[in-house]
Amino acid sequence: MKIGSFAFDERINDIVGKIATRQMRFPYVIMRKVADRQSDTAPLYELFETSPAGDEIQIGVVWERKMTKTQETFLSGMIDDPSFREPLPIALFGDERSGFDVQWRRERDRDAQGGNFGGRSGGGQRQSAGSGGYGGRQGGGFAGGSTAGAGGEYTGGGARDLDDEVPF
């Protein structure tokens, strides 16, 4: 599911964009390349939002990844905040020149695919706190849709089978 986009803004010489879901809105996010990466496993970009006081607050990081089958590169990371129950996993497809689309999908357990998507109880519905489900997490996961169709296939557009290619 597409939840945002980024593009290079020549006026400020930064990559900027927005990310929004039904219950969360980041209208102006700066994606800045990490200048002093200490290793190849360090994040490639950091995500910042400007607070009402004008401070830049780091809200996430992304790493460069490769798709399993095609070895095509994409960015994978998360957005997090102390107010969140759990981090929001994201993937970015595109590049600095043409921009990035921000995608999200509900995590799933690849090995235990029972009657529901990913073998989790709850069938994709939000559960009340303490009811388990969603991979054993208490209280469910993020509310919202999924990129999975009725048979578990990717329905987010394009001809890719991202369920098999994107390791997040």
Side-chain angles (χ1 to χ4, degrees):
M1 169 189 320
K2 181 177 175 180
I3 61 169
S5 60
F6 283 90
F8 186 76
D9 186 335
E10 293 179 9
R11 295 172 296 149
I12 62 170
N13 202 32
D14 262 328
I15 301 170
V16 296
K18 63 181 179 177
I19 297 172
T21 69
R22 194 174 58 117
Q23 295 188 12
M24 175 177 55
R25 181 166 163 71
F26 295 102
Y28 187 80
V29 179
I30 301 166
M31 186 166 85
R32 200 168 283 141
K33 210 167 215 172
V34 177
D36 59 345
R37 290 178 70 203
Q38 301 297 315
S39 73
D40 290 340
T41 60
L44 187 60
Y45 292 95
E46 295 173 323
L47 303 174
F48 297 91
E49 182 186 37
T50 305
S51 74
D55 299 318
E56 285 186 1
I57 309 296
Q58 185 177 353
I59 61 167
V61 293
V62 292
W63 293 265
E64 187 172 67
R65 303 280 192 236
K66 291 188 185 252
M67 291 190 189
T68 306
K69 292 181 182 176
T70 66
Q71 296 299 304
E72 182 181 348
T73 61
F74 68 101
L75 300 176
S76 174
M78 68 183 78
I79 297 174
D80 203 358
D81 184 81
S83 67
F84 294 179
R85 182 177 14 211
E86 59 190 46
L88 176 68
I90 59 171
L92 293 87
F93 297 93
D95 58 50
E96 289 182 9
R97 289 186 320 275
S98 58
F100 295 94
D101 283 337
V102 182
Q103 302 285 327
W104 167 83
R105 73 173 182 181
R106 190 172 308 283
E107 293 179 12
R108 67 185 183 130
D109 183 356
R110 292 181 167 278
D111 295 328
Q113 294 188 6
N116 295 315
F117 293 116
R120 293 183 176 100
S121 61
Q125 299 298 316
R126 176 178 264 186
Q127 297 179 354
S128 62
S131 62
Y134 297 110
R137 286 177 255 162
Q138 296 298 314
F142 285 95
S146 175
T147 56
E153 73 280 3
Y154 175 70
T155 60
R160 296 179 177 163
D161 183 5
L162 293 179
D163 281 345
D164 292 332
E165 292 191 32
V166 180
F168 86 101

mmCIF file of all heavy atoms in Angstrom, residues 5-9 12-19 26-33 45-51 54-62 79 92:
data_model
loop_
_atom_site.group_PDB
_atom_site.id
_atom_site.type_symbol
_atom_site.label_atom_id
_atom_site.label_comp_id
_atom_site.label_asym_id
_atom_site.label_seq_id
_atom_site.Cartn_x
_atom_site.Cartn_y
_atom_site.Cartn_z
ATOM 1 N N SER A 5 5.381 9.646 -0.494
ATOM 2 C CA SER A 5 6.332 9.830 -1.586
ATOM 3 C C SER A 5 7.384 10.855 -1.169
ATOM 4 O O SER A 5 7.160 11.666 -0.259
ATOM 5 C CB SER A 5 5.611 10.295 -2.854
ATOM 6 O OG SER A 5 4.953 11.521 -2.612
ATOM 7 N N PHE A 6 8.524 10.790 -1.840
ATOM 8 C CA PHE A 6 9.627 11.720 -1.623
ATOM 9 C C PHE A 6 10.147 12.193 -2.970
ATOM 10 O O PHE A 6 10.102 11.445 -3.954
ATOM 11 C CB PHE A 6 10.791 11.038 -0.890
ATOM 12 C CG PHE A 6 10.574 10.862 0.580
ATOM 13 C CD1 PHE A 6 9.985 9.719 1.080
ATOM 14 C CD2 PHE A 6 10.975 11.845 1.469
ATOM 15 C CE1 PHE A 6 9.787 9.545 2.428
ATOM 16 C CE2 PHE A 6 10.784 11.683 2.834
ATOM 17 C CZ PHE A 6 10.191 10.537 3.314
ATOM 18 N N ALA A 7 10.659 13.410 -3.022
ATOM 19 C CA ALA A 7 11.285 13.952 -4.223
ATOM 20 C C ALA A 7 12.395 14.909 -3.802
ATOM 21 O O ALA A 7 12.358 15.475 -2.708
ATOM 22 C CB ALA A 7 10.257 14.678 -5.085
ATOM 23 N N PHE A 8 13.354 15.107 -4.684
ATOM 24 C CA PHE A 8 14.449 16.025 -4.401
ATOM 25 C C PHE A 8 13.948 17.450 -4.577
ATOM 26 O O PHE A 8 13.352 17.794 -5.592
ATOM 27 C CB PHE A 8 15.640 15.764 -5.334
ATOM 28 C CG PHE A 8 16.839 16.581 -4.989
ATOM 29 C CD1 PHE A 8 17.633 16.252 -3.902
ATOM 30 C CD2 PHE A 8 17.168 17.702 -5.728
ATOM 31 C CE1 PHE A 8 18.742 17.010 -3.560
ATOM 32 C CE2 PHE A 8 18.276 18.466 -5.402
ATOM 33 C CZ PHE A 8 19.064 18.118 -4.316
ATOM 34 N N ASP A 9 14.174 18.300 -3.575
ATOM 35 C CA ASP A 9 13.773 19.702 -3.618
ATOM 36 C C ASP A 9 15.036 20.532 -3.828
ATOM 37 O O ASP A 9 15.855 20.671 -2.907
ATOM 38 C CB ASP A 9 13.069 20.089 -2.322
ATOM 39 C CG ASP A 9 12.488 21.497 -2.357
ATOM 40 O OD1 ASP A 9 12.989 22.354 -3.123
ATOM 41 O OD2 ASP A 9 11.521 21.730 -1.605
ATOM 42 N N ILE A 12 16.052 23.623 -1.368
ATOM 43 C CA ILE A 12 16.707 23.401 -0.073
ATOM 44 C C ILE A 12 17.776 22.321 -0.137
ATOM 45 O O ILE A 12 18.388 21.994 0.864
ATOM 46 C CB ILE A 12 15.671 23.064 1.015
ATOM 47 C CG1 ILE A 12 14.921 21.775 0.681
ATOM 48 C CG2 ILE A 12 14.722 24.218 1.236
ATOM 49 C CD1 ILE A 12 14.052 21.257 1.808
ATOM 50 N N ASN A 13 17.967 21.732 -1.330
ATOM 51 C CA ASN A 13 18.990 20.720 -1.557
ATOM 52 C C ASN A 13 18.827 19.510 -0.637
ATOM 53 O O ASN A 13 19.787 19.013 -0.053
ATOM 54 C CB ASN A 13 20.392 21.322 -1.418
ATOM 55 C CG ASN A 13 21.429 20.499 -2.138
ATOM 56 O OD1 ASN A 13 21.142 19.875 -3.157
ATOM 57 N ND2 ASN A 13 22.642 20.488 -1.615
ATOM 58 N N ASP A 14 17.581 19.058 -0.461
ATOM 59 C CA ASP A 14 17.250 17.901 0.364
ATOM 60 C C ASP A 14 16.148 17.092 -0.322
ATOM 61 O O ASP A 14 15.414 17.614 -1.174
ATOM 62 C CB ASP A 14 16.733 18.329 1.741
ATOM 63 C CG ASP A 14 17.798 18.292 2.827
ATOM 64 O OD1 ASP A 14 18.702 17.438 2.755
ATOM 65 O OD2 ASP A 14 17.713 19.114 3.746
ATOM 66 N N ILE A 15 16.030 15.847 0.085
ATOM 67 C CA ILE A 15 14.921 15.003 -0.363
ATOM 68 C C ILE A 15 13.802 15.186 0.656
ATOM 69 O O ILE A 15 14.011 14.982 1.851
ATOM 70 C CB ILE A 15 15.353 13.525 -0.439
ATOM 71 C CG1 ILE A 15 16.529 13.363 -1.401
ATOM 72 C CG2 ILE A 15 14.173 12.654 -0.864
ATOM 73 C CD1 ILE A 15 17.180 11.998 -1.350
ATOM 74 N N VAL A 16 12.633 15.599 0.207
ATOM 75 C CA VAL A 16 11.509 15.844 1.116
ATOM 76 C C VAL A 16 10.278 15.094 0.625
ATOM 77 O O VAL A 16 10.142 14.781 -0.560
ATOM 78 C CB VAL A 16 11.191 17.353 1.260
ATOM 79 C CG1 VAL A 16 12.342 18.089 1.889
ATOM 80 C CG2 VAL A 16 10.809 17.959 -0.061
ATOM 81 N N GLY A 17 9.386 14.809 1.561
ATOM 82 C CA GLY A 17 8.169 14.119 1.193
ATOM 83 C C GLY A 17 7.175 14.097 2.317
ATOM 84 O O GLY A 17 7.317 14.817 3.321
ATOM 85 N N LYS A 18 6.170 13.254 2.131
ATOM 86 C CA LYS A 18 5.140 13.110 3.156
ATOM 87 C C LYS A 18 4.782 11.640 3.289
ATOM 88 O O LYS A 18 4.912 10.858 2.350
ATOM 89 C CB LYS A 18 3.905 13.928 2.814
ATOM 90 C CG LYS A 18 3.213 13.493 1.545
ATOM 91 C CD LYS A 18 2.009 14.361 1.267
ATOM 92 C CE LYS A 18 1.354 13.913 -0.022
ATOM 93 N NZ LYS A 18 0.152 14.660 -0.292
ATOM 94 N N ILE A 19 4.348 11.284 4.489
ATOM 95 C CA ILE A 19 3.897 9.932 4.792
ATOM 96 C C ILE A 19 2.611 10.078 5.580
ATOM 97 O O ILE A 19 2.550 10.849 6.547
ATOM 98 C CB ILE A 19 4.951 9.149 5.599
ATOM 99 C CG1 ILE A 19 6.231 8.990 4.781
ATOM 100 C CG2 ILE A 19 4.404 7.797 6.037
ATOM 101 C CD1 ILE A 19 7.395 8.395 5.541
ATOM 102 N N PHE A 26 2.533 12.618 8.597
ATOM 103 C CA PHE A 26 3.793 13.350 8.591
ATOM 104 C C PHE A 26 3.802 14.159 7.293
ATOM 105 O O PHE A 26 4.223 13.659 6.244
ATOM 106 C CB PHE A 26 4.987 12.398 8.627
ATOM 107 C CG PHE A 26 5.086 11.585 9.895
ATOM 108 C CD1 PHE A 26 4.696 10.263 9.922
ATOM 109 C CD2 PHE A 26 5.572 12.169 11.055
ATOM 110 C CE1 PHE A 26 4.791 9.515 11.077
ATOM 111 C CE2 PHE A 26 5.678 11.427 12.219
ATOM 112 C CZ PHE A 26 5.282 10.106 12.238
ATOM 113 N N PRO A 27 3.335 15.424 7.322
ATOM 114 C CA PRO A 27 3.170 16.192 6.084
ATOM 115 C C PRO A 27 4.470 16.708 5.474
ATOM 116 O O PRO A 27 4.502 17.049 4.296
ATOM 117 C CB PRO A 27 2.275 17.354 6.505
ATOM 118 C CG PRO A 27 2.517 17.515 7.963
ATOM 119 C CD PRO A 27 2.839 16.145 8.489
ATOM 120 N N TYR A 28 5.548 16.762 6.244
ATOM 121 C CA TYR A 28 6.810 17.268 5.718
ATOM 122 C C TYR A 28 7.954 16.509 6.376
ATOM 123 O O TYR A 28 8.328 16.783 7.512
ATOM 124 C CB TYR A 28 6.952 18.767 5.994
ATOM 125 C CG TYR A 28 8.152 19.393 5.322
ATOM 126 C CD1 TYR A 28 8.114 19.742 3.975
ATOM 127 C CD2 TYR A 28 9.321 19.623 6.029
ATOM 128 C CE1 TYR A 28 9.205 20.308 3.355
ATOM 129 C CE2 TYR A 28 10.427 20.193 5.427
ATOM 130 C CZ TYR A 28 10.358 20.535 4.080
ATOM 131 O OH TYR A 28 11.462 21.093 3.463
ATOM 132 N N VAL A 29 8.488 15.534 5.650
ATOM 133 C CA VAL A 29 9.573 14.693 6.155
ATOM 134 C C VAL A 29 10.804 14.951 5.299
ATOM 135 O O VAL A 29 10.719 14.994 4.066
ATOM 136 C CB VAL A 29 9.191 13.196 6.104
ATOM 137 C CG1 VAL A 29 10.339 12.331 6.597
ATOM 138 C CG2 VAL A 29 7.944 12.929 6.911
ATOM 139 N N ILE A 30 11.940 15.112 5.945
ATOM 140 C CA ILE A 30 13.220 15.294 5.255
ATOM 141 C C ILE A 30 13.960 13.973 5.305
ATOM 142 O O ILE A 30 14.104 13.365 6.364
ATOM 143 C CB ILE A 30 14.060 16.390 5.932
ATOM 144 C CG1 ILE A 30 13.302 17.712 5.933
ATOM 145 C CG2 ILE A 30 15.419 16.526 5.246
ATOM 146 C CD1 ILE A 30 13.903 18.755 6.854
ATOM 147 N N MET A 31 14.424 13.492 4.149
ATOM 148 C CA MET A 31 15.209 12.266 4.075
ATOM 149 C C MET A 31 16.628 12.679 3.702
ATOM 150 O O MET A 31 16.884 13.119 2.579
ATOM 151 C CB MET A 31 14.626 11.308 3.028
ATOM 152 C CG MET A 31 15.328 9.971 3.018
ATOM 153 S SD MET A 31 14.417 8.709 2.100
ATOM 154 C CE MET A 31 14.985 9.028 0.445
ATOM 155 N N ARG A 32 17.532 12.557 4.662
ATOM 156 C CA ARG A 32 18.885 13.050 4.499
ATOM 157 C C ARG A 32 19.875 11.887 4.512
ATOM 158 O O ARG A 32 19.835 11.044 5.401
ATOM 159 C CB ARG A 32 19.189 14.015 5.639
ATOM 160 C CG ARG A 32 20.320 14.942 5.363
ATOM 161 C CD ARG A 32 20.406 16.062 6.390
ATOM 162 N NE ARG A 32 19.392 17.078 6.115
ATOM 163 C CZ ARG A 32 18.694 17.704 7.054
ATOM 164 N NH1 ARG A 32 18.879 17.428 8.316
ATOM 165 N NH2 ARG A 32 17.817 18.620 6.724
ATOM 166 N N LYS A 33 20.771 11.860 3.524
ATOM 167 C CA LYS A 33 21.804 10.830 3.454
ATOM 168 C C LYS A 33 22.733 10.961 4.655
ATOM 169 O O LYS A 33 23.091 12.065 5.051
ATOM 170 C CB LYS A 33 22.603 10.983 2.165
ATOM 171 C CG LYS A 33 23.154 9.695 1.647
ATOM 172 C CD LYS A 33 23.653 9.836 0.234
ATOM 173 C CE LYS A 33 23.357 8.538 -0.466
ATOM 174 N NZ LYS A 33 23.623 8.587 -1.874
ATOM 175 N N TYR A 45 20.059 6.494 4.932
ATOM 176 C CA TYR A 45 19.351 7.756 5.123
ATOM 177 C C TYR A 45 18.747 7.818 6.516
ATOM 178 O O TYR A 45 18.424 6.789 7.106
ATOM 179 C CB TYR A 45 18.193 7.898 4.126
ATOM 180 C CG TYR A 45 18.603 8.059 2.693
ATOM 181 C CD1 TYR A 45 18.680 6.959 1.850
ATOM 182 C CD2 TYR A 45 18.882 9.312 2.155
ATOM 183 C CE1 TYR A 45 19.025 7.093 0.513
ATOM 184 C CE2 TYR A 45 19.231 9.456 0.822
ATOM 185 C CZ TYR A 45 19.303 8.348 0.011
ATOM 186 O OH TYR A 45 19.647 8.492 -1.308
ATOM 187 N N GLU A 46 18.551 9.032 6.999
ATOM 188 C CA GLU A 46 17.799 9.284 8.225
ATOM 189 C C GLU A 46 16.591 10.133 7.851
ATOM 190 O O GLU A 46 16.669 10.973 6.951
ATOM 191 C CB GLU A 46 18.659 10.018 9.255
ATOM 192 C CG GLU A 46 19.824 9.191 9.747
ATOM 193 C CD GLU A 46 20.767 9.971 10.645
ATOM 194 O OE1 GLU A 46 21.002 11.175 10.394
ATOM 195 O OE2 GLU A 46 21.276 9.355 11.600
ATOM 196 N N LEU A 47 15.477 9.912 8.543
ATOM 197 C CA LEU A 47 14.242 10.645 8.289
ATOM 198 C C LEU A 47 13.997 11.613 9.439
ATOM 199 O O LEU A 47 14.080 11.220 10.610
ATOM 200 C CB LEU A 47 13.068 9.680 8.163
ATOM 201 C CG LEU A 47 13.199 8.601 7.090
ATOM 202 C CD1 LEU A 47 12.045 7.617 7.176
ATOM 203 C CD2 LEU A 47 13.280 9.212 5.709
ATOM 204 N N PHE A 48 13.678 12.855 9.106
ATOM 205 C CA PHE A 48 13.451 13.894 10.103
ATOM 206 C C PHE A 48 12.118 14.583 9.846
ATOM 207 O O PHE A 48 11.729 14.785 8.697
ATOM 208 C CB PHE A 48 14.559 14.961 10.049
ATOM 209 C CG PHE A 48 15.920 14.446 10.365
ATOM 210 C CD1 PHE A 48 16.752 13.971 9.364
ATOM 211 C CD2 PHE A 48 16.382 14.432 11.673
ATOM 212 C CE1 PHE A 48 18.018 13.490 9.648
ATOM 213 C CE2 PHE A 48 17.652 13.955 11.970
ATOM 214 C CZ PHE A 48 18.475 13.484 10.959
ATOM 215 N N GLU A 49 11.457 14.977 10.934
ATOM 216 C CA GLU A 49 10.266 15.804 10.864
ATOM 217 C C GLU A 49 10.551 17.051 11.688
ATOM 218 O O GLU A 49 11.254 17.001 12.691
ATOM 219 C CB GLU A 49 9.056 15.066 11.429
ATOM 220 C CG GLU A 49 7.791 15.892 11.333
ATOM 221 C CD GLU A 49 6.613 15.234 12.006
ATOM 222 O OE1 GLU A 49 6.788 14.595 13.052
ATOM 223 O OE2 GLU A 49 5.510 15.393 11.477
ATOM 224 N N THR A 50 9.993 18.180 11.264
ATOM 225 C CA THR A 50 10.171 19.416 12.012
ATOM 226 C C THR A 50 9.089 19.517 13.074
ATOM 227 O O THR A 50 7.901 19.394 12.778
ATOM 228 C CB THR A 50 10.105 20.629 11.067
ATOM 229 O OG1 THR A 50 11.066 20.449 10.030
ATOM 230 C CG2 THR A 50 10.405 21.913 11.802
ATOM 231 N N SER A 51 9.494 19.744 14.312
ATOM 232 C CA SER A 51 8.543 19.876 15.423
ATOM 233 C C SER A 51 7.860 21.242 15.344
ATOM 234 O O SER A 51 8.338 22.145 14.645
ATOM 235 C CB SER A 51 9.264 19.730 16.764
ATOM 236 O OG SER A 51 10.011 20.899 17.038
ATOM 237 N N GLY A 54 10.122 24.038 15.667
ATOM 238 C CA GLY A 54 11.120 24.242 14.613
ATOM 239 C C GLY A 54 12.321 23.337 14.685
ATOM 240 O O GLY A 54 13.240 23.460 13.878
ATOM 241 N N ASP A 55 12.349 22.414 15.642
ATOM 242 C CA ASP A 55 13.473 21.479 15.759
ATOM 243 C C ASP A 55 13.285 20.314 14.799
ATOM 244 O O ASP A 55 12.177 19.838 14.594
ATOM 245 C CB ASP A 55 13.555 20.920 17.187
ATOM 246 C CG ASP A 55 13.771 21.999 18.226
ATOM 247 O OD1 ASP A 55 14.591 22.909 17.969
ATOM 248 O OD2 ASP A 55 13.111 21.937 19.280
ATOM 249 N N GLU A 56 14.395 19.832 14.230
ATOM 250 C CA GLU A 56 14.341 18.620 13.410
ATOM 251 C C GLU A 56 14.449 17.419 14.327
ATOM 252 O O GLU A 56 15.430 17.261 15.047
ATOM 253 C CB GLU A 56 15.462 18.606 12.379
ATOM 254 C CG GLU A 56 15.222 19.533 11.228
ATOM 255 C CD GLU A 56 16.268 19.404 10.132
ATOM 256 O OE1 GLU A 56 17.194 18.565 10.243
ATOM 257 O OE2 GLU A 56 16.158 20.163 9.158
ATOM 258 N N ILE A 57 13.438 16.555 14.296
ATOM 259 C CA ILE A 57 13.370 15.368 15.136
ATOM 260 C C ILE A 57 13.533 14.142 14.249
ATOM 261 O O ILE A 57 12.805 13.985 13.263
ATOM 262 C CB ILE A 57 12.003 15.273 15.862
ATOM 263 C CG1 ILE A 57 11.665 16.575 16.579
ATOM 264 C CG2 ILE A 57 11.961 14.065 16.777
ATOM 265 C CD1 ILE A 57 12.598 16.950 17.681
ATOM 266 N N GLN A 58 14.483 13.265 14.582
ATOM 267 C CA GLN A 58 14.654 12.045 13.804
ATOM 268 C C GLN A 58 13.491 11.106 14.100
ATOM 269 O O GLN A 58 13.200 10.792 15.249
ATOM 270 C CB GLN A 58 15.965 11.347 14.128
ATOM 271 C CG GLN A 58 16.200 10.147 13.247
ATOM 272 C CD GLN A 58 17.540 9.477 13.498
ATOM 273 O OE1 GLN A 58 18.369 9.961 14.235
ATOM 274 N NE2 GLN A 58 17.727 8.345 12.858
ATOM 275 N N ILE A 59 12.817 10.649 13.023
ATOM 276 C CA ILE A 59 11.676 9.748 13.187
ATOM 277 C C ILE A 59 11.917 8.396 12.530
ATOM 278 O O ILE A 59 11.074 7.511 12.648
ATOM 279 C CB ILE A 59 10.368 10.362 12.641
ATOM 280 C CG1 ILE A 59 10.500 10.648 11.146
ATOM 281 C CG2 ILE A 59 9.993 11.598 13.433
ATOM 282 C CD1 ILE A 59 9.194 10.963 10.462
ATOM 283 N N GLY A 60 13.043 8.238 11.837
ATOM 284 C CA GLY A 60 13.283 6.954 11.205
ATOM 285 C C GLY A 60 14.618 6.876 10.497
ATOM 286 O O GLY A 60 15.365 7.851 10.410
ATOM 287 N N VAL A 61 14.886 5.664 10.002
ATOM 288 C CA VAL A 61 16.096 5.379 9.235
ATOM 289 C C VAL A 61 15.741 4.397 8.121
ATOM 290 O O VAL A 61 14.766 3.652 8.225
ATOM 291 C CB VAL A 61 17.222 4.768 10.111
ATOM 292 C CG1 VAL A 61 17.736 5.776 11.111
ATOM 293 C CG2 VAL A 61 16.754 3.516 10.815
ATOM 294 N N VAL A 62 16.549 4.406 7.058
ATOM 295 C CA VAL A 62 16.381 3.428 5.980
ATOM 296 C C VAL A 62 17.746 2.923 5.524
ATOM 297 O O VAL A 62 18.735 3.645 5.565
ATOM 298 C CB VAL A 62 15.580 3.992 4.776
ATOM 299 C CG1 VAL A 62 14.138 4.246 5.139
ATOM 300 C CG2 VAL A 62 16.203 5.241 4.221
ATOM 301 N N ILE A 79 9.730 3.871 10.645
ATOM 302 C CA ILE A 79 9.422 5.128 11.305
ATOM 303 C C ILE A 79 9.029 4.760 12.726
ATOM 304 O O ILE A 79 8.269 3.818 12.933
ATOM 305 C CB ILE A 79 8.267 5.860 10.598
ATOM 306 C CG1 ILE A 79 8.697 6.227 9.182
ATOM 307 C CG2 ILE A 79 7.844 7.088 11.386
ATOM 308 C CD1 ILE A 79 7.597 6.806 8.362
ATOM 309 N N LEU A 92 10.968 1.946 0.288
ATOM 310 C CA LEU A 92 10.943 3.035 -0.671
ATOM 311 C C LEU A 92 11.477 2.515 -2.003
ATOM 312 O O LEU A 92 12.563 1.922 -2.048
ATOM 313 C CB LEU A 92 11.792 4.209 -0.194
ATOM 314 C CG LEU A 92 11.279 4.936 1.046
ATOM 315 C CD1 LEU A 92 11.777 4.293 2.314
ATOM 316 C CD2 LEU A 92 11.678 6.384 0.998
#
